[in-house]
């Protein structure tokens, strides 16, 4: 087990991502940050807060669950829990930044894009991730990456966040070390 | 938790945890219903058959919408109750349809136990949409959902179910669900329409509507069918209305924030006056809306897995 | 005719003579010739009955053989084979066939079929009323002459009290019993299972106990009035038992029967809407079963009879309301009696066997149900130590509508012998 990021690393990465999002020069009024369940949600909330501190205005913030849009439902043995989706405003013509903890095969993001399209017609959808671990199975790329971590398929990347796990860190583990 | 059942046949056999799991899942689907595009691709490619041997517009419409919003394909098979005299039994009909490779049957039938017969013989999921006077699990689930949505909880609530309890699947399923979730349930109706030993299910029996309503948090009115008079259970419908119909005066005996429910369709002027059915204490339309969400949750839980 | 059949070394039980001994039975020319230890006579056939129990061939006075009319459910041939497998050597078949047995020619038909195709002795019961309609008396005198052994409208209760009175009076000259199926149909109405907590939970219409009790009371009153012999079929409730007990104490000439299945399953056992639990009278509550068992002990209930009622798979595959009432019983009867009555120490083995042999024989007035020198050699041999699994494929009955499928039951019938001839031998 290797610790890829500690709390301070994560704070800096998120700050840098927020700056990068704002670099595109868009109005905060047209910006929407949407966190992908489960750990993308606290990251989205943190990014929104950072942007509010930087610009004095908070972007629209939503949360999104992809369970109902997954492409691998028939391959799951267990019953996936459906979590909340809450996008209580129009996303039409807005610039939406999806944020998730880890980008891996790209299937989660594919599903998230489908959810967004069912909600409206955003002007642009971008992706921010804390960790990109490679092994894409679909033509999906992140616009903003906290850290690139090459991994093997025997490995797992786990992001822990205070809001859910009680601590902030990013771990690289062998599959055998993972606690489900 | 792991919901491991192949079918949803009734509330009696569900654990408290299973019921709560379904209600929690229904919350997500309630949100889908409020979206501009009320569709998710979750059950794309699955085929659900609505096998209705008893006429029912509402329940069928509710299931249809739930199925469509989950992107499932639907087959509607409505049969008059005399279809079995044509020689094809229920099991035959189902087997024939199953041969066309469907994934689920939603069955409504006038005889108790028919969904159980299919569930035993067929490998696909069976959802009971009402089997005679026995159970109507999705109705009870949407009722429980609605109560929880409005009151925040079920435990400790005083709930009164009024009407022809004897012939009511809605009553039975609700009694199971409400008792499992800790409510205090009262049933009220004429003695001829209260089934024997129902107290053993955990309810209190009242013959007086006024007594039953005293301090109640929720009042659920059931439909009274005209046939009961002909079958000797009631002297007349008008006498039933005298004693068991709801009005403002009687409703004032309940808690000030009492809510009125009805599985529908309402016999306006019989169980309830229009004023109350449409009034601010009525959550009848919420029941209908929530019904689609709850049925989506049930379909999802049973079908969206290996 | 074989020169002699020797049944060697079995435990011979004859309730009529209270015999309970390990000894031999020698049969020649169709009759029992000798019962003693270590019989030393020459024989042509030997049955080694060591560790087995040798009893008089069982008698079932309530069986539905469905012929004529419903040969798809059962025939005299298949039903009699099922009887033989169950250890029965004599069965009385009920007349609710199509056409019903209300005419001497039909009684003769049953005898003919039985003679040609029957594996066991079959005695026809004829109807009380013409066409079983409950309106006019059937020609009971002629029916007796043709060979009917009792009268019953079984399947229905004679609702017209005046007619039932006349029937009870009339049979006094014939010395044959009237067997009554006690059910007030206005009370049982649409019911499909016992009315009680479980019918409430199941949402099924109930058959109240009173549907039986009201009818029993009326029939007992008429039996008293006419001083005639009444036999009550398939008694199922505690209060029915209390009424019968009181009637017997008053000297009323009533006898009663109970089925093995009513001793084994209660209404709580109507689970999953299995139509093989749909029977009339229905399975009642645990308190009723207790009293039924108790009443066997003080002989309030004299006879155990199966009410064997075959139905095809297609008919029972219907939903609980539409499926017909009835379950088969010939092949599981003895084992159920051993399990529910003997093993549970309600009756001794001797007393239990009496309910299936000498008691029904006496009610019918036939010279059967005993192992006695000079009597026709109808004998059943079973192994009390062997238990068996009830399997659908093994039923000899044409139908398999039994709630006991999959049950493990004690006691296996190994030989059924009629007039010294082996009519059933179990596979090893």
């Amino acid at each position: 087990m290797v610790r890829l990021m500690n709390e301070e690393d994560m704070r800096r990465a998120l700050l840098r991502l927020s700056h990068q999002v704002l670099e595109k020069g868009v109005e905060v009024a047209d910006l929407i940050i949407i966190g992908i369940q489960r750990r993308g949600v606290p990251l989205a909330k943190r990014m929104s807060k950072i942007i509010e501190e930087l610009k004095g205005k908070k972007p629209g913030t939503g949360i999104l669950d992809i369970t109902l849009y997954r492409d691998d439902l028939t391959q799951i043995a267990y019953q996936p829990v459906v979590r909340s989706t809450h996008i209580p405003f129009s996303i039409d013509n807005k610039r939406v930044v999806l944020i998730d903890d880890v980008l891996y095969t790209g299937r989660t993001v594919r599903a998230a894009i489908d959810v967004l399209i069912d909600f409206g017609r955003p002007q642009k959808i971008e992706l921010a991730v804390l960790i990109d671990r490679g092994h894409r199975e679909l033509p999906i790329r992140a616009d903003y990456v906290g850290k690139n971590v090459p991994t093997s398929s025997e490995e797992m990347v786990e992001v822990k966040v205070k809001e859910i796990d009680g601590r902030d860190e990013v771990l690289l583990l062998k599959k055998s070390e993972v606690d489900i | 938790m792991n919901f491991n059942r192949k079918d949803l046949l009734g509330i009696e056999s569900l654990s408290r945890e299973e019921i709560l799991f379904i209600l929690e899942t229904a919350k997500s689907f309630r949100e889908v219903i409020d979206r501009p595009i009320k569709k998710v691709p979750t059950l794309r490619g699955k085929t659900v058959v609505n096998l209705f041997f008893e006429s029912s517009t509402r329940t069928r419409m509710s299931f249809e919408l739930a199925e469509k919003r989950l992107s499932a394909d639907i087959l509607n098979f409505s049969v008059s109750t005399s279809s079995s005299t044509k020689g094809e039994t229920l099991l035959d009909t189902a087997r024939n349809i199953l041969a066309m490779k469907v994934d689920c049957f939603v069955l409504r039938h006038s005889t108790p136990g028919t969904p159980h017969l299919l569930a035993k013989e067929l490998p696909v999921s069976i959802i009971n949409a009402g089997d005679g006077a026995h159970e109507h699990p999705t109705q009870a689930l949407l009722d429980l959902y609605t109560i929880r949505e409005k009151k925040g909880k079920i435990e400790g609530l005083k709930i009164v179910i009024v009407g022809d309890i004897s012939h009511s699947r809605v009553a039975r399923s609700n009694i199971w669900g409400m008792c499992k979730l800790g409510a205090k349930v009262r049933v009220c109706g004429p003695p001829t329409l209260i089934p024997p030993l129902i107290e053993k299910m955990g309810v209190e029996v009242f013959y007086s509507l006024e007594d039953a309503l005293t301090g109640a948090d929720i009042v659920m009115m059931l439909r009274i069918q005209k046939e009961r008079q002909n079958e000797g259970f009631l002297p007349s419908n008008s006498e039933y209305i005298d004693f068991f119909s709801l009005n403002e005066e009687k409703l004032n005996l309940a808690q000030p924030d009492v809510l009125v429910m009805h599985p529908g369709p309402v016999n306006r002027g019989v169980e309830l006056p229009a004023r109350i059915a449409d009034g601010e204490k009525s959550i009848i339309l919420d029941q209908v809306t929530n019904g689609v969400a709850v049925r989506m949750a049930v379909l999802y839980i049973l079908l969206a897995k290996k | 005719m074989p020169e002699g059949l020797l049944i060697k070394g079995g435990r011979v039980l004859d309730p009529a003579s209270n015999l309970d001994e390990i000894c031999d039975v020698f049969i020649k020319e169709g009759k029992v010739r000798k019962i003693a230890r270590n019989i030393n006579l020459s024989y042509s056939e030997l049955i080694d009955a060591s560790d087995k129990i040798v009893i008089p061939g069982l008698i079932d006075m309530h069986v539905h053989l469905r012929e004529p009319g419903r040969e798809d459910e059962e025939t005299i041939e298949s039903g009699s084979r099922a009887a033989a497998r169950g250890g029965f050597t004599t069965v009385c078949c009920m007349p609710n066939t199509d056409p019903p047995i209300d005419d001497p020619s039909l009684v003769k038909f049953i005898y003919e079929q039985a003679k040609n195709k029957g594996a066991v002795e079959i005695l026809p019961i004829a109807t009380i009323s013409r066409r079983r309609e409950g309106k006019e008396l059937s020609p009971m005198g002629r029916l007796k002459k043709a060979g009917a052994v009792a009268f019953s409208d079984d399947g229905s209760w004679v609702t017209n009290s005046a007619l039932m009175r006349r029937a009870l009076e009339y049979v006094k000259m014939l010395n044959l019993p009237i067997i009554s199926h006690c059910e007030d149909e206005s009370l049982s109405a649409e019911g499909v299972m016992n009315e009680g907590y479980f019918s409430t939970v199941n949402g099924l219409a109930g058959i109240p106990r009173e549907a039986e009790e009201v009818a029993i009371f009326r029939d007992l009153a008429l039996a008293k009035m006419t001083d005639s012999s009444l036999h009550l079929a398939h008694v199922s409730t505690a209060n029915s038992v209390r009424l019968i007990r009181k009637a017997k104490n008053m000297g009323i000439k009533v006898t009663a029967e109970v089925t093995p299945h009513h001793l084994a399953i209660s209404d709580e056992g109507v689970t999953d809407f299995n139509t093989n639990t749909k029977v009339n009278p229905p399975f009642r509550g645990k308190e009723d079963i207790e009293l039924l068992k108790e009443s066997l002990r003080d002989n309030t209930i004299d006879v155990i009879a199966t009410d064997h009622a075959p139905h095809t798979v297609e008919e029972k595959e219907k939903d609980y309301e539409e499926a017909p009432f009835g379950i088969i019983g010939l092949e599981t009867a003895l084992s159920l009696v051993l399990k529910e009555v003997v093993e549970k120490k309600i009756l001794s083995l001797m007393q239990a066997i009496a309910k299936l042999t000498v008691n029904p024989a006496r009610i019918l007035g036939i010279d059967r149900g005993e192992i006695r020198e000079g009597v026709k050699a109808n004998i059943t041999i079973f192994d009390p130590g062997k238990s068996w699994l009830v399997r659908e494929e093994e039923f000899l009955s044409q139908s398999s509508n039994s709630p006991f499928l999959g049950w493990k039951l004690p006691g296996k019938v190994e030989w059924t012998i009629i007039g010294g001839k082996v009519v059933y031998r179990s596979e090893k």
Side-chain angles (χ1 to χ4, degrees):
Chain A
M1 181 170 89
V2 175
R3 190 198 252 176
L4 297 172
M5 281 183 156
N6 61 21
E7 183 175 338
E8 180 59 20
D9 296 327
M10 276 176 69
R11 191 192 63 78
R12 277 210 216 108
L14 215 47
L15 185 58
R16 181 166 52 77
L17 288 175
S18 308
H19 275 290
Q20 286 175 339
V21 166
L22 290 172
E23 250 162 46
K24 295 282 171 84
V26 75
E27 289 296 317
V28 176
D30 291 330
L31 179 65
I32 293 180
I33 312 290
I34 296 195
I36 299 178
Q37 291 276 17
R38 200 179 169 203
R39 288 178 173 76
V41 170
L43 295 179
K45 292 187 177 155
R46 290 190 203 182
M47 181 179 272
S48 280
K49 190 144 180 275
I50 294 172
I51 291 176
E52 186 184 24
E53 281 164 11
L54 292 173
K55 287 288 186 175
K57 204 173 169 195
K58 196 169 184 195
T61 312
I63 65 180
L64 173 165
D65 182 82
I66 59 132
T67 310
L68 302 179
Y69 285 74
R70 296 178 78 127
D71 66 358
D72 58 349
L73 275 169
T74 50
Q75 288 158 41
I76 311 169
Y78 62 92
Q79 183 78 59
V81 179
V82 184
R83 298 188 197 279
S84 344
T85 296
H86 190 63
I87 305 177
F89 35 71
S90 168
I91 62 172
D92 289 349
N93 298 314
K94 305 280 186 189
R95 180 181 155 222
V96 174
V97 176
L98 282 169
I99 177 166
D100 204 2
D101 55 344
V102 179
L103 175 58
Y104 184 25
T105 62
R107 292 182 188 275
T108 299
V109 176
R110 196 275 319 153
I113 294 173
D114 277 352
V115 176
L116 285 179
I117 304 261
D118 275 354
F119 265 88
R121 199 187 182 288
Q123 198 230 1
K124 191 167 197 187
I125 300 176
E126 294 176 318
L127 175 65
V129 295
L130 194 60
I131 306 284
D132 180 343
R133 65 169 286 199
H135 297 282
R136 217 75 74 234
E137 291 173 7
L138 296 173
I140 302 256
R141 56 134 182 76
D143 299 89
Y144 315 103
V145 180
K147 190 179 175 111
N148 277 296
V149 180
T151 58
S152 78
S153 42
E154 293 308 303
E155 293 171 312
M156 298 252 343
V157 175
E158 275 196 0
V159 172
K160 305 280 186 204
V161 291
K162 274 206 185 110
E163 294 88 331
I164 296 174
D165 310 290
R167 62 194 190 282
D168 280 353
E169 60 181 358
V170 181
L171 303 169
L172 175 68
L173 309 124
K174 301 255 183 300
K175 264 205 176 127
S176 48
E177 291 172 301
V178 170
D179 40 29
I180 308 283
Chain B
M1 65 149 281
N2 258 324
F3 193 96
N4 281 324
R5 295 168 189 273
K6 170 172 86 75
D7 319 284
L8 179 64
L9 300 176
I11 307 287
E12 186 189 352
S13 54
L14 294 183
S15 69
R16 212 186 105 92
E17 290 68 40
E18 286 174 308
I19 296 174
L20 289 171
F21 178 68
I22 298 173
L23 298 183
E24 281 302 314
T25 308
K27 272 199 194 138
S28 310
F29 289 101
R30 184 69 187 76
E31 177 270 316
V32 171
I33 292 177
D34 282 334
R35 296 185 190 176
I37 295 189
K38 300 174 198 324
K39 213 169 172 74
V40 291
T42 322
L43 293 186
R44 201 171 72 93
K46 303 265 183 181
T47 309
V48 180
V49 182
N50 295 321
L51 203 51
F52 276 60
F53 283 84
E54 214 184 42
S55 70
S56 145
T57 331
R58 287 161 182 249
T59 306
R60 221 192 67 200
M61 271 179 9
S62 184
F63 267 106
E64 263 194 67
L65 270 179
E67 291 146 14
K68 287 183 164 148
R69 287 179 178 166
L70 287 166
S71 300
D73 292 319
I74 306 179
L75 201 57
N76 279 322
F77 191 93
S78 295
V79 180
S80 66
T81 48
S82 63
S83 117
S84 31
T85 62
K86 287 191 193 147
E88 203 183 38
T89 63
L90 164 66
L91 205 47
D92 254 345
T93 307
R95 282 196 183 114
N96 269 289
I97 298 175
L98 186 61
M100 296 189 256
K101 310 288 180 192
V102 301
D103 301 288
C104 173
F105 285 95
V106 175
L107 177 68
R108 166 167 284 195
H109 199 284
S110 55
T111 305
T114 37
H116 303 65
L117 177 59
L118 291 189
K120 198 165 74 169
E121 299 290 323
L122 306 179
V124 297
S125 293
I126 309 292
I127 298 178
N128 181 4
D131 64 330
H134 179 225
E135 288 237 39
H136 192 358
T138 56
Q139 179 69 44
L141 289 166
L142 74 89
D143 289 337
L144 291 169
Y145 182 93
T146 309
I147 295 172
R148 229 163 149 242
E149 180 189 57
K150 299 291 179 187
K151 293 283 187 185
K153 62 166 185 179
I154 306 257
E155 189 161 1
L157 291 182
K158 291 193 180 70
I159 307 180
V160 185
I161 306 178
V162 183
D164 181 359
I165 311 291
S166 209
H167 298 91
S168 171
R169 50 185 165 228
V170 172
R172 284 173 177 79
S173 289
N174 265 306
I175 290 171
W176 291 120
M178 290 168 183
C179 287
K180 281 176 203 270
L181 295 184
K184 295 211 173 352
V185 184
R186 303 173 176 173
V187 297
C188 178
T192 48
L193 293 178
I194 305 272
L197 295 170
I198 195 171
E199 313 80 52
K200 268 180 89 169
M201 282 177 78
V203 304
E204 246 190 294
V205 176
F206 287 80
Y207 299 140
S208 151
L209 183 57
E210 287 80 354
D211 288 346
L213 286 173
T214 307
D217 298 296
I218 303 270
V219 180
M220 183 181 290
M221 306 299 293
L222 302 175
R223 262 177 82 74
I224 184 79
Q225 279 176 278
K226 294 200 185 81
E227 295 84 80
R228 303 302 166 223
Q229 183 185 329
N230 302 333
E231 292 161 4
F233 290 100
L234 294 174
S236 70
N237 267 350
S238 43
E239 188 159 314
Y240 177 83
I241 294 171
D242 282 345
F243 284 82
F244 295 100
S245 179
L246 202 56
N247 59 33
E248 273 95 359
E249 203 187 314
K250 292 182 197 171
L251 205 49
N252 282 334
L253 294 165
Q255 294 283 30
D257 59 351
V258 69
L259 295 174
V260 178
M261 301 175 75
H262 192 298
V266 178
N267 272 329
R268 282 156 183 273
V270 179
E271 301 102 38
L272 299 179
R275 273 187 322 283
I276 296 186
D278 303 328
E280 51 170 25
K281 294 195 194 297
S282 158
I283 53 176
I284 296 174
L285 291 179
D286 296 275
Q287 288 171 272
V288 176
T289 310
N290 293 332
V292 181
V294 166
R295 288 171 174 129
M296 286 174 84
V298 169
L299 285 159
Y300 168 74
I301 289 170
L302 290 178
L303 297 178
K305 59 182 175 200
K306 213 196 294 195
Chain C
M1 272 254 142
E3 279 233 34
L5 165 63
L6 181 65
I7 302 174
K8 197 165 179 53
R11 178 182 166 199
V12 179
L13 272 170
D14 178 52
S17 61
N18 215 11
L19 173 70
D20 182 353
E21 271 203 45
I22 299 193
C23 57
D24 302 346
V25 179
F26 182 70
I27 297 163
K28 192 163 168 180
E29 276 155 19
K31 295 201 173 152
V32 173
R33 300 296 173 187
K34 199 173 164 94
I35 308 167
R37 281 189 217 187
N38 299 315
I39 292 178
N40 202 0
L41 297 168
S42 67
Y43 53 81
S44 58
E45 200 182 339
L46 171 73
I47 291 178
D48 178 6
S50 21
D51 300 322
K52 318 264 192 239
I53 300 188
V54 179
I55 50 175
L58 304 178
I59 299 171
D60 191 343
M61 57 184 289
H62 191 145
V63 169
H64 295 272
L65 293 180
R66 305 298 190 210
E67 193 179 343
R70 287 306 305 268
E71 289 82 352
D72 54 331
E73 290 177 328
E74 190 87 278
T75 59
I76 285 174
E77 183 175 2
S78 61
S80 65
R81 288 223 200 99
R85 180 168 180 245
F88 290 92
T89 53
T90 307
V91 303
C92 302
C93 55
M94 281 295 180
N96 59 334
T97 46
D98 181 16
I101 313 298
D102 65 352
D103 186 85
S105 61
L106 292 163
V107 174
K108 292 198 182 108
F109 167 77
I110 304 277
Y111 274 113
E112 271 302 300
Q113 287 295 88
K115 192 171 78 177
N116 297 333
K117 306 211 176 130
V120 304
E121 291 178 352
I122 295 174
L123 302 174
I125 298 173
T127 61
I128 295 171
S129 63
R130 273 190 208 282
R131 290 176 296 278
R132 269 183 73 242
E133 278 173 358
K135 295 198 182 118
E136 297 173 356
L137 292 178
S138 61
M140 293 202 264
R142 290 194 178 149
L143 289 165
K144 177 182 176 177
K145 277 207 182 133
V149 298
F151 303 99
S152 182
D153 276 2
D154 184 58
S156 310
W157 185 53
V158 177
T159 48
N160 186 326
S161 303
L163 184 74
M164 184 64 168
R165 172 209 180 155
R166 297 296 173 218
L168 282 164
E169 285 176 337
Y170 194 75
V171 291
K172 289 200 317 189
M173 83 183 189
L174 302 173
N175 235 334
L176 292 183
I178 295 238
I179 302 177
S180 185
H181 163 116
C182 292
E183 180 191 348
D184 180 332
E185 282 176 40
S186 70
L187 283 174
S188 58
E190 303 296 311
V192 296
M193 67 171 287
N194 183 42
E195 183 177 290
Y197 174 66
F198 295 101
S199 67
T200 288
V201 163
N202 284 344
L204 288 170
I207 298 175
R209 294 173 172 85
E210 288 73 9
E212 176 176 302
E213 293 156 12
V214 156
I216 286 193
F217 187 89
R218 186 214 66 182
D219 284 353
L220 290 172
L222 292 180
K224 176 170 189 290
M225 176 195 203
T226 56
D227 192 33
S228 181
S229 298
L230 172 70
H231 179 79
L232 297 170
H234 46 53
V235 173
S236 73
T237 83
N239 278 336
S240 294
V241 163
R242 294 188 182 107
L243 286 170
I244 298 167
R245 190 176 283 145
K246 183 137 201 261
K248 285 191 174 184
N249 286 339
M250 286 167 70
I252 297 174
K253 295 191 182 102
V254 60
T255 53
E257 76 190 28
V258 69
T259 68
H261 54 261
H262 280 106
L263 301 172
I265 299 179
S266 71
D267 57 354
E268 191 170 354
V270 178
T271 49
D272 277 358
F273 301 91
N274 176 5
T275 54
N276 284 338
T277 60
K278 184 173 178 182
V279 71
N280 192 16
F283 292 125
R284 302 285 186 187
K286 297 207 165 113
E287 330 74 53
D288 300 288
I289 295 181
E290 251 189 69
L291 227 75
L292 286 171
K293 288 186 176 173
E294 199 195 281
S295 69
L296 284 167
R297 230 185 284 175
D298 70 352
N299 223 35
T300 300
I301 296 198
D302 316 77
V303 164
I304 294 175
T306 63
D307 195 5
H308 174 91
H311 287 295
T312 60
V313 168
E314 294 75 37
E315 296 221 272
K316 281 294 201 175
E317 224 176 35
K318 296 188 182 151
D319 61 55
Y320 211 87
E321 281 171 6
E322 269 209 63
F325 288 96
I327 59 185
I328 52 172
L330 284 167
E331 295 169 75
T332 47
L334 178 61
S335 294
L336 283 171
V337 171
L338 293 172
K339 179 176 192 287
E340 296 297 336
V341 174
V342 179
E343 272 177 16
K344 295 193 177 165
K345 306 220 184 302
I346 310 287
L347 294 178
S348 68
L349 184 55
M350 177 86 89
Q351 293 166 322
I353 300 300
K355 306 282 181 191
L356 290 159
T357 52
V358 61
N359 289 7
R362 299 233 168 100
I363 292 171
L364 294 164
I366 54 177
D367 191 17
R368 297 278 183 273
E370 305 181 37
I371 301 180
R372 197 179 78 235
E373 291 173 11
V375 158
K376 184 172 182 187
N378 286 4
I379 290 180
T380 297
I381 304 172
F382 73 95
D383 187 337
K386 262 202 199 126
S387 42
W388 56 289
L389 199 61
V390 180
R391 284 203 187 95
E392 200 172 342
E393 324 79 75
E394 289 175 13
F395 280 130
L396 291 182
S397 163
Q398 214 165 272
S399 297
S400 51
N401 50 317
S402 168
F404 303 108
L405 287 171
W407 284 43
K408 191 144 188 250
L409 294 180
K412 199 163 194 310
V413 171
E414 306 225 312
W415 285 271
T416 306
I417 297 161
I418 295 186
K421 198 161 137 246
V422 175
V423 297
Y424 172 78
R425 171 79 180 103
S426 72
E427 269 113 76
K428 302 217 172 31

